[in-house]
Amino acid sequence: MENFTPLSAALGGLLIGLAAAGLLLFNGRIAGISGILGGLLDLPRGDMSWRGAFIAGLLTGGLGLLWFYPQTLALPSDYSFITYAVAGLLVGYGTRLGSGCTSGHGVCGIARLSPRSFAAVTTFMASAILTVFIVRHVL
Amino acid sequence: MKLSIAAFVLGILFAVGLGIAGMTQPIKIIAFLDVTGDWDPSLLLVMASATLVYFLCYRWITQRRAPLLAEKFSLPTAKQIDARLITGSVLFGIGWGLSGYCPGPALAALPGLVPNTVVFVVSMLAGMLLFKWSDAWLSARRLEKL
């Protein structure tokens, strides 16, 4: 457990929670990233601008990270191109079919005490833990 | 316009939170998911902290009749735990476990332009489009059969 970073984890979580709460307070929307991004692909719709603006904000925030805190964007090099291509497809398709990801079901759904989100989070956590177990300890 | 400005600023805050929390580092996510290995519980604390803040704010915010800038709250209404929810979550979990990326952190990490990050985001968009088209095709077929 020597990699445990409790302070930055709690602080980062606080900012994530505040940003999600802000989107509810100002825009009346759930901060589910897969839903916001997926909605952008459902052209044409009337609510494209705030969705586009939120995604642009995420990318801009990422630029800020790159500038001030570049070690946060590092990636292990021992994972193949193909792995990331397959993983991306599964994440894109799966989050749309399951109507949410770590933010929408994870943070917002759990906090709203939604039974659907409890079921989704339990399922994707179990599935991800099993995947890592197989990749790291079986293969 | 105001809606978009608010969404833009909150998107920045969200990404900065993800970065500070360590969520944009696939190595930390995989170390969290590797419960039988050298376990890193950081992500649990990120989720707990974000969820607690949202839980408290949610109760306070939804006492209002409307959000500050929009006419009404747009909240999910689906109640049923169905095969789509579970199958989608299983697939998402496999992709998350393989890469250490979920949608938000992958987008926040995109400006780093690491090849695997770019490949992941492009494939994720392709997966979302694939879902949109296959879903439309399947529902059209279901209607034909009726």
Side-chain angles (χ1 to χ4, degrees):
Chain A
M1 294 218 330
E2 68 268 25
N3 305 319
F4 188 35
T5 47
L7 272 180
S8 56
L11 176 66
L14 174 80
L15 296 183
I16 295 167
L18 284 177
L23 201 66
L24 184 68
L25 176 63
F26 288 99
N27 297 39
R29 294 285 179 164
I30 295 291
I33 310 303
S34 58
I36 294 174
L37 185 63
L40 268 183
L41 302 174
D42 288 345
L43 296 159
R45 280 165 66 134
D47 60 354
M48 304 305 274
S49 53
W50 77 267
R51 290 174 188 272
F54 187 84
I55 300 298
L58 269 182
L59 295 170
T60 308
L63 267 181
L65 290 172
L66 182 66
W67 193 261
F68 294 106
Y69 204 4
Q71 64 270 37
T72 56
L73 304 191
L75 194 69
S77 51
D78 55 336
Y79 279 73
S80 75
F81 223 60
I82 298 292
T83 306
Y84 275 83
V86 172
L89 277 177
L90 288 168
V91 169
Y93 191 91
T95 51
R96 294 305 284 152
L97 181 63
S99 316
C101 57
T102 346
S103 48
H105 279 315
V107 175
C108 300
I110 298 284
R112 295 174 59 241
L113 308 176
S114 150
R116 257 173 74 84
S117 292
F118 276 107
V121 173
T122 315
T123 307
F124 68 64
M125 281 285 178
S127 152
I129 286 171
L130 190 65
T131 302
V132 170
F133 181 78
I134 292 171
V135 170
R136 286 219 155 168
H137 305 288
V138 179
L139 294 181
Chain B
M1 191 63 198
K2 280 184 187 166
L3 279 171
S4 296
I5 293 170
F8 179 71
V9 173
L10 293 165
I12 294 177
L13 185 65
F14 201 97
V16 171
L18 289 173
I20 292 176
M23 293 287 297
T24 50
Q25 298 169 65
I27 204 162
K28 274 191 88 69
I29 303 300
I30 291 173
F32 164 75
L33 295 169
D34 191 9
V35 288
T36 60
D38 186 15
W39 192 49
D40 175 2
S42 305
L43 176 59
L44 203 61
L45 209 60
V46 178
M47 294 290 280
S49 164
T51 307
L52 180 66
V53 170
Y54 195 81
F55 174 78
L56 297 174
C57 293
Y58 183 82
R59 295 167 67 102
W60 169 67
I61 292 167
T62 49
Q63 280 172 7
R64 305 175 49 91
R65 263 183 301 149
L68 290 174
L69 302 177
E71 280 171 25
K72 59 179 177 54
F73 290 106
S74 311
L75 301 174
T77 49
K79 291 270 180 287
Q80 220 179 349
I81 297 171
D82 52 15
R84 288 167 70 99
L85 182 82
I86 301 301
T87 313
S89 299
V90 168
L91 296 178
F92 164 46
I94 297 172
W96 191 34
L98 283 176
S99 62
Y101 274 141
C102 50
L107 288 173
L110 189 61
L113 294 179
V114 177
N116 277 352
T117 314
V118 179
V119 167
F120 181 91
V121 172
V122 172
S123 308
M124 177 171 78
L125 289 170
M128 287 182 168
L129 281 173
L130 194 68
F131 169 75
K132 186 188 157 187
W133 294 327
S134 64
D135 198 45
W137 184 74
L138 283 174
S139 16
R141 266 183 57 131
R142 223 170 283 138
L143 280 178
E144 271 173 26
K145 279 188 185 161
L146 288 176

